[in-house]
Amino acid sequence: MKTAVVLFPGSNCEQDTVKAINAVGSSPATVLWHKDRVPVETDLVVLPGGFSYGDYLRAGAIARFSPIMQSVVDFANAGGLVIGICNGFQVLVEARLLPGALLRNEGLHFICKWVHLRVERSHSIFTRSEKSVVRIPIAHGQGRYFIDDDGLKSLEGCGQVVFRYCDEEGCTSVESNPNGSIGSIAGVCNEAGNVLGMMPHPERAMSEDLGSADGRTFWKSLLNGTLTQSH
Amino acid sequence: MIRARVNVLLKEDVMDPQGKAVGEALNSLGHHEVRNVRVGRCFDLNLTGEDPAAARVAIVEMCEQLLANTVIEKYDIHLVSAAGGMS
């Protein structure tokens, strides 16, 4: 699978993401500058974490208008796979490729810690061989997922919630929800299932020695799977 | 030249922890009459042209495109007249 990682001014997780992809994927990832276009042969575009454009105005709001974003939108609309991680997720909601919005954390603090996630959509192209509960770190100040009541019903009804914050056993609660996200939502996909946004960083969970290798499983199943999509 | 002020605030049904923290701080300073605080953003714009109606149309577009995220935020637009009053 040919993968491209987009580098916006202010991105800071693109090298970790490239290393993660190169560690388990069959072909090396390309880094695209925000003024580039998505090459035609690309299978997967990753918008990495960081602080694109200094998070000015709202996180992701300015990056959305980067030259590359129009070609990312076209790529996604044509069925190409897109993942936004952390700031990348914020860019995807601002670009309206994903529903909802990401707000300042409930407790106002930047949170950097390991969390558990329940994989709600285990049969998606992004989560084929995931365990039901994974351990992956978060690092964000604006990660509180919000969507209005009708939007939430639609998300749940269409099975678009991919990850939920939970405890070690997979139970969701106020305590296991680090940022006050509605429905403990940590990651969602679009209705077609080819665009995923998630606040946790799978590229930072690549080794048991460093806390967890659950991110390795995530990338491995995604990059080495077939391109046939199942819902 | 037309001057305009745009206020962007979170919608009522969106929790505003920043506003809550400011409200609590005001209460702790002795301002017990404060019940609810919402924190937003204010943009002052200077625009070329003299037609207020056209300016308003343009600013609505700016709000929808960039200044506000209408999933979570609402906005209001005030044009500043030559005399300095808001409308």
Side-chain angles (χ1 to χ4, degrees):
Chain A
M1 186 179 280
K2 286 209 164 56
T3 309
V5 179
V6 178
L7 174 59
F8 296 104
S11 296
N12 64 12
C13 298
E14 79 286 350
Q15 289 305 324
D16 292 10
T17 305
V18 165
K19 278 190 181 173
I21 291 166
N22 291 355
V24 297
S26 52
S27 59
T30 314
V31 175
L32 300 176
W33 180 232
H34 73 118
K35 290 185 176 170
D36 296 339
R37 292 185 57 80
V38 176
V40 281
E41 68 276 18
T42 306
D43 299 309
L44 167 70
V45 171
V46 184
L47 307 186
F51 299 87
S52 56
Y53 297 90
D55 276 355
Y56 293 157
L57 190 60
R58 299 175 302 275
I62 311 285
R64 173 203 168 188
F65 295 102
S66 256
I68 197 167
M69 279 310 293
Q70 189 52 54
S71 83
V72 171
V73 169
D74 294 342
F75 175 77
N77 289 339
L81 299 180
V82 179
I83 301 181
I85 298 165
C86 197
N87 187 228
F89 187 10
Q90 293 162 339
V91 175
L92 290 176
V93 294
E94 283 285 341
R96 304 285 201 269
L97 280 174
L98 290 172
L102 290 152
L103 289 155
R104 193 182 268 243
N105 295 342
E106 190 173 24
L108 295 176
H109 295 289
F110 188 96
I111 307 169
C112 181
K113 68 172 190 177
W114 289 90
V115 296
H116 289 93
L117 303 173
R118 194 167 76 203
V119 183
E120 300 288 81
R121 189 178 158 118
S122 56
H123 51 287
S124 82
I125 192 157
F126 297 110
T127 52
R128 261 182 299 248
S129 59
E130 296 258 354
K131 299 186 283 188
S132 56
V133 175
V134 294
R135 187 166 180 268
I136 288 178
I138 53 167
H140 59 246
Q142 298 178 51
R144 175 165 54 103
Y145 187 76
F146 174 84
I147 192 164
D148 62 20
D149 289 344
D150 290 344
L152 184 62
K153 273 185 206 135
S154 163
L155 266 191
E156 300 279 8
C158 298
Q160 287 173 249
V161 178
V162 180
F163 299 109
R164 256 186 250 273
Y165 299 109
C166 65
D167 63 18
E168 218 166 326
E169 274 73 48
C171 300
T172 57
S173 66
V174 174
E175 290 74 33
S176 64
N177 184 350
N179 53 23
S181 288
I182 197 160
S184 293
I185 290 172
V188 297
C189 65
N190 63 346
E191 213 175 331
N194 63 310
V195 179
L196 168 71
M198 59 193 294
M199 287 313 295
H201 287 268
E203 79 281 9
R204 295 188 188 180
M206 295 297 287
S207 159
E208 286 294 350
D209 293 338
L210 297 175
S212 166
D214 288 344
R216 179 175 278 272
T217 314
F218 170 86
W219 292 110
K220 214 170 180 173
S221 84
L222 169 62
L223 297 168
N224 300 321
T226 64
L227 277 173
T228 314
Q229 225 169 295
S230 60
H231 294 288
Chain B
M1 185 70 76
I2 289 176
R3 287 166 56 213
R5 173 163 287 180
V6 178
N7 292 312
V8 177
L9 273 169
L10 288 172
K11 290 177 179 172
E12 278 82 8
D13 58 344
V14 179
M15 185 182 54
D16 178 8
Q18 196 175 197
K20 189 164 171 267
V22 172
E24 285 168 5
L26 288 171
N27 288 160
S28 73
L29 287 169
H31 299 288
H32 301 294
E33 68 276 29
V34 176
R35 281 288 170 270
N36 188 27
V37 178
R38 307 285 284 177
V39 176
R41 273 193 204 91
C42 171
F43 301 87
D44 281 342
L45 307 174
N46 290 336
L47 292 86
T48 57
E50 301 298 334
D51 180 359
R56 190 173 284 275
V57 168
I59 295 169
V60 166
E61 196 180 337
M62 294 175 208
C63 289
E64 295 286 331
Q65 285 178 327
L66 178 67
L67 300 183
N69 178 346
T70 53
V71 175
I72 45 171
E73 293 169 329
K74 57 182 182 175
Y75 58 87
D76 54 62
I77 299 165
H78 305 276
L79 297 182
V80 187
S81 71
M86 292 269 187
S87 66

